[in-house]
Amino acid sequence: MNFFHLVPQIHYGPGAAGAAGEALRSLGVRHVLVVTDQGVLDAGVIDPVLKSVKDAGVSYTVFSDLRTNPTEQHVAGAAYMYKTLGCDGILGVGGGSSLDVAKSAAVIIADGGCITSYEDGDRAVTGTPPPLVQVPTTAGTGSEVVAGAIITDSKRAFKMHVVATPAQVALCDPRLTLTLPAGPTAASGID
């Protein structure tokens, strides 16, 4: 039997991203790993989110070493940074790629191993994943509200669906999508 898990708390509306810091603090997070991509950083889209984290008294480290169609190496890099810097929560900010890496890193942090061993439910998550908050900057993938993720297995050059972990909180702020260029807006809408 298959189960479909959604995020327990979904907040939608203009300004919702400004609640990221409070959401993390309410989950007991003191040092969060922010998983995003360089484009979101460069565009300044993430600035109000990071401000809310800082204002809530939560320290943060940014992991932005990922790209569209992220691989198991991106997931491993985020998990490694989390562990070595003593983080205690994850904040995914961006499109589906960033959110999928955030969810997948939470699995590796909880159970170890490589994310490729979680393809199509081949392996269940048995450990306790860290607190996870997701803030989408595109509209269409739905990655912020589901447990699965799409990660590319670099050895097979194959996109696979992996068992990931759902976030505790999704903050859907339509203002974050306003500066997205036309191409990604259309692509995420089709998605």
Side-chain angles (χ1 to χ4, degrees), residues 12 94-96 136-144 172-174 176-178 180 184-191:
Y12 175 83
T137 60
T138 63
T141 69
S143 185
E144 70 276 6
C172 303
D173 188 339
L176 299 185
T177 67
L178 295 177
L180 190 65
T185 296
S188 66
I190 291 168
D191 192 17

Side-chain angles (χ1 to χ4, degrees), residues 125-181:
V125 181
T126 58
T128 303
L132 174 62
V133 174
Q134 299 275 54
V135 181
T137 60
T138 63
T141 69
S143 185
E144 70 276 6
V145 295
V146 296
I150 303 298
I151 300 296
T152 300
D153 180 339
S154 63
K155 292 181 180 95
R156 296 183 293 164
F158 176 75
K159 282 187 180 184
M160 61 183 181
H161 177 265
V162 298
V163 171
T165 184
Q168 284 80 27
V169 180
L171 302 170
C172 303
D173 188 339
R175 289 182 187 168
L176 299 185
T177 67
L178 295 177
T179 59
L180 190 65

Side-chain angles (χ1 to χ4, degrees), residues 33-119:
L33 179 68
V34 179
V35 178
T36 192
D37 66 68
Q38 198 59 47
V40 170
L41 282 172
D42 292 345
V45 174
I46 198 170
D47 294 348
V49 179
L50 295 179
K51 181 182 182 319
S52 82
V53 171
K54 184 177 177 184
D55 290 350
V58 177
S59 64
Y60 65 86
T61 300
V62 174
F63 174 84
S64 62
D65 184 22
L66 58 93
R67 60 176 170 76
T68 302
N69 301 316
T71 68
E72 74 278 4
Q73 287 101 357
H74 297 110
V75 174
Y80 177 80
M81 183 178 274
Y82 177 97
K83 291 176 184 177
T84 59
L85 296 176
C87 297
D88 59 358
I90 300 176
L91 173 62
V93 182
S97 296
S98 297
L99 304 183
D100 283 356
V101 168
K103 289 186 288 187
S104 298
V107 169
I108 300 308
I109 292 160
D111 280 358
C114 181
I115 197 63
T116 57
S117 66
Y118 293 87
E119 182 178 5

